[in-house]
Amino acid sequence: MVGQLQIEVLGELNVRRDGQLLPLPQSKKTRALLGYLAVVGRPQRREHLCKLFWEVPDDPRASLRWSLYKIRQITNTHDVDRLTADHHSVLLIPQAIDLDFTNVASLRPGDLDTLDVEVLESLAAAFRGEFLEGLRLPRCPTFEAWRLYHRDLVLRSRIEILRRLVSRLWEYPERARFYAHAIESLRGDAASIDLRSEAPDASVSGSSRDVARGNASATANRAGQPGSELADASAEPKAGPTVGTPQARSQAIRFCRASDRVRVAYALCGRGPAIVRAAHWMSHLQYDWESPVWRHWIDALSEEMMLIRYDERGNGLSDWDVADFSFAAMVTDLESVVDAAGLERFTLLGVSQSCAVSVAYAVRHPERLSGLILYGGFVQGWRKRSPHDVATHEAMTTLIREGWGNSNPVFRHLFTTMFIPGASQEQMGWFDELQRITVSPDNACRLHEAFGEMDVSDLLSQVAVPTLVLHARRDAAVPFGSGREFATGIPGARFVDLDSANHILLGNEPAFETFIREVGRFVAETVQR
């Protein structure tokens, strides 16, 4: 149609009207704001945008007004207002633009198997580089976390498309080799994400085959084991430093499949005896890596140990389109990650609801654990507790359904205050955004319901591995008595109460130092046995 506006984010930000490239503002933040509004595709609060892009010493509202003025000159014409704004919110109307990201974001792995070669080649041609290339804003941490998440999503999709093309074009070696070389050229970009787990079973001659498989010739040949498609998963992390992190910090993000084919993302960092942190909801391997809420946990636990963490199904980089959120599925995901990582013996750390998952794993696989650590957990889910707890959590389920994904952060902020009442404004802002980025409202509701049904009361007496239980004394999210219930029910368990009101311990509080000291001592004692 006349006046059609095309916005390209699969590479450097480009805007075209009727095919003609338009000049963009020199301001990096203004261009980043335009890309953000185009990809998000829903109303954004002015206050949120100010916090996202402008620091407090600036005049955020004036900066936002100036940037919106510049963007209107690009997006709006005399007959079409694509960018709309009032005193409270801003919207770049998604139906009024043609965004290259849309087709990629809607893809699922199974979709690629149904598309013909011409469509796959068209999709491959849409990628011109890294997502919003050149728009890294290290002083805007929330935007950076958002950009990194979408960068990884785009990179995964791009390599999946290229792999399918190599697989489908094996009868045409020259065309297959072209796409195989494209995969090879992306290997450096994929340093922080191990994409080998989804390698196709193509038969391409010569070096192209290895490239098409993402070096799948190195895949561990463990037939019948969950996650067996993961290449060399037991090796030390070889990834380079993650973008935006100090040189000394690096993590390798990899993928495996649970028994029901749900793809689970996990990460390895550090060196030493292995410690696995069982997944809890609202996690994101990349976002947490930079977060002031979780970064100190990651750094402290990986300083003298190899830390393995993974995203709960339906969360973060793991698959979101999931049918089964049962307790049994959560235990299976833990088993799949442990097998994929090639761990023979390790320490298992449960946090919050993953404490129950960890207990179930410990009973099922005692021979693989050197020790079990439980922090901030509960033995029985909220539906198994008092009528007051049931009523409170049923109300919370309704609030999650209605308020989680909205632009208004009121509910998310209440949730944040319950989890980390001692947090700074920066930490609260990160955790507010964490809830929206890591899990959809529907998945959050389903997970919250699943947590309500948990009950490992009958398993506690069967735990036969050394166990350390820790709990914050004034934890508002999970009552202190829940921790004591683990300690009294598990034979020989040692209990440590922590002087804190935070469910997620903060890096600047003495309770976190106590937690790390006790964990380090426990691991040192148990791995020697």
Side-chain angles (χ1 to χ4, degrees):
M1 71 178 182
V2 177
Q4 183 181 32
L5 195 76
Q6 298 170 303
I7 298 181
E8 300 169 350
V9 297
L10 302 180
E12 290 188 356
L13 178 68
N14 284 334
V15 181
R16 303 175 189 271
R17 184 179 295 120
D18 295 333
Q20 296 297 311
L21 197 63
L22 301 180
L24 298 179
Q26 290 189 348
S27 166
K28 205 171 181 182
K29 288 186 178 181
T30 301
R31 285 180 280 132
L33 172 62
L34 172 57
Y36 178 80
L37 291 172
V39 172
V40 171
R42 59 179 182 272
Q44 299 295 298
R45 291 176 298 105
R46 284 179 177 267
E47 180 185 358
H48 169 69
L49 296 175
C50 287
K51 290 180 179 178
L52 201 62
F53 291 104
W54 289 281
E55 299 171 2
V56 174
D58 300 332
D59 184 352
R61 290 188 172 275
S63 298
L64 177 60
R65 285 195 300 270
W66 182 88
S67 290
L68 293 176
Y69 167 75
K70 290 292 186 180
I71 293 173
R72 283 192 189 94
Q73 293 180 322
I74 300 167
T75 60
N76 293 3
T77 56
H78 68 279
D79 56 341
V80 181
D81 286 341
R82 297 177 179 86
L83 182 72
T84 65
D86 56 29
H87 291 300
H88 304 290
S89 64
V90 179
L91 171 66
L92 183 58
I93 302 172
Q95 296 83 359
I97 63 173
D98 180 8
L99 180 67
D100 59 355
F101 176 80
T102 303
N103 289 336
V104 173
S106 63
L107 286 174
R108 295 290 183 269
D111 297 338
L112 298 179
D113 296 327
T114 66
L115 301 177
D116 58 35
V117 169
E118 288 72 19
V119 174
L120 289 173
E121 288 188 308
S122 175
L123 286 170
F127 295 94
R128 300 170 294 104
E130 183 180 287
F131 176 80
L132 288 179
E133 189 168 309
L135 289 181
R136 180 178 170 232
L137 299 176
R139 294 188 177 182
C140 303
T142 304
F143 170 78
E144 267 303 284
W146 176 87
R147 186 188 66 83
L148 286 170
Y149 167 74
H150 287 82
R151 180 204 67 174
D152 295 348
L153 175 70
V154 165
L155 182 57
R156 285 168 56 188
S157 297
R158 185 178 187 181
I159 291 185
E160 292 295 342
I161 291 166
L162 293 172
R163 283 174 170 163
R164 292 307 197 283
L165 281 168
V166 172
S167 177
R168 302 273 282 280
L169 291 171
W170 65 272
E171 293 181 335
Y172 304 93
E174 290 303 316
R175 291 173 70 187
R177 192 170 292 113
F178 172 80
Y179 293 113
H181 286 317
I183 295 175
E184 179 69 24
S185 70
L186 292 172
R187 289 177 66 190
D189 295 336
S192 65
I193 306 178
D194 192 327
L195 294 155
R196 295 171 292 181
S197 59
E198 298 302 313
D201 293 325
S203 299
V204 183
S205 61
S207 62
S208 297
R209 178 178 62 241
D210 293 334
V211 177
R213 286 175 171 264
N215 291 333
S217 58
T219 301
N221 203 4
R222 295 178 291 177
Q225 265 191 346
S228 62
E229 68 270 30
L230 188 72
D232 194 21
S234 61
E236 289 288 332
K238 298 182 177 64
T242 304
V243 174
T245 63
Q247 191 74 12
R249 298 181 81 233
S250 66
Q251 66 173 343
I253 297 178
R254 299 174 176 176
F255 298 88
C256 64
R257 296 277 188 181
S259 57
D260 60 356
R261 305 303 297 163
V262 169
R263 182 164 52 181
V264 178
Y266 70 100
L268 304 94
C269 60
R271 294 188 177 184
I275 181 169
V276 176
R277 194 184 82 183
H280 48 77
W281 69 341
M282 295 187 294
S283 74
H284 189 296
L285 296 177
Q286 192 70 58
Y287 189 90
D288 291 351
W289 183 253
E290 298 293 339
S291 167
V293 177
W294 285 114
R295 176 170 174 157
H296 54 284
W297 282 68
I298 296 168
D299 287 351
L301 289 171
S302 62
E303 186 173 356
E304 296 182 355
M305 294 178 279
M306 182 175 70
L307 173 64
I308 299 95
R309 12 191 282 279
Y310 62 99
D311 285 334
E312 184 89 80
R313 57 175 55 210
N315 288 254
L317 295 178
S318 294
D319 282 349
W320 282 32
D321 187 8
V322 176
D324 185 4
F325 280 108
S326 67
F327 181 72
M330 296 176 194
V331 178
T332 298
D333 288 348
L334 172 55
E335 292 174 325
S336 300
V337 169
V338 169
D339 288 340
L343 302 177
E344 294 183 2
R345 195 166 175 81
F346 61 96
T347 301
L348 179 58
L349 168 62
V351 176
S352 195
Q353 71 272 1
S354 71
C355 287
V357 174
S358 299
V359 165
Y361 183 93
V363 171
R364 192 179 297 183
H365 304 285
E367 74 287 350
R368 302 188 74 164
L369 295 185
S370 56
L372 174 65
I373 303 171
L374 305 174
Y375 167 74
F378 50 84
V379 174
Q380 292 183 311
W382 54 268
R383 283 202 179 278
K384 310 290 184 178
R385 303 179 204 155
S386 69
H388 173 74
D389 278 347
V390 173
T392 299
H393 282 273
E394 284 181 342
M396 189 177 293
T397 301
T398 301
L399 287 171
I400 290 172
R401 184 178 295 109
E402 298 301 323
W404 197 279
N406 291 345
S407 57
N408 189 326
V410 171
F411 169 71
R412 295 199 305 273
H413 196 65
L414 288 172
F415 217 67
T416 297
T417 303
M418 181 175 66
F419 274 76
I420 42 174
S424 66
Q425 287 300 313
E426 179 194 17
Q427 289 166 328
M428 284 197 171
W430 271 82
F431 200 75
D432 283 352
E433 190 68 5
L434 174 77
Q435 295 166 53
R436 189 185 64 79
I437 285 178
T438 57
V439 61
S440 68
D442 181 61
N443 283 354
C445 281
R446 295 171 66 195
L447 283 164
H448 187 247
E449 288 288 346
F451 301 155
E453 300 297 335
M454 288 180 172
D455 190 347
V456 292
S457 304
D458 294 339
L459 297 181
L460 298 185
S461 62
Q462 302 176 48
V463 175
V465 299
T467 303
L468 172 66
V469 181
L470 309 99
H471 209 102
R473 200 174 300 155
R474 302 182 304 282
D475 188 338
V478 179
F480 184 65
S482 298
R484 289 191 300 186
E485 193 174 355
F486 274 119
T488 56
I490 296 175
R494 186 162 67 89
F495 183 66
V496 176
D497 68 300
L498 302 168
D499 186 13
S500 177
N502 295 309
H503 185 60
I504 303 172
L505 298 172
L506 301 174
N508 61 352
E509 59 179 324
F512 180 70
E513 295 179 12
T514 302
F515 172 81
I516 293 300
R517 183 175 62 251
E518 293 289 346
V519 167
R521 181 185 301 164
F522 178 79
V523 171
E525 292 172 352
T526 54
V527 295
Q528 301 299 325
R529 297 188 182 185

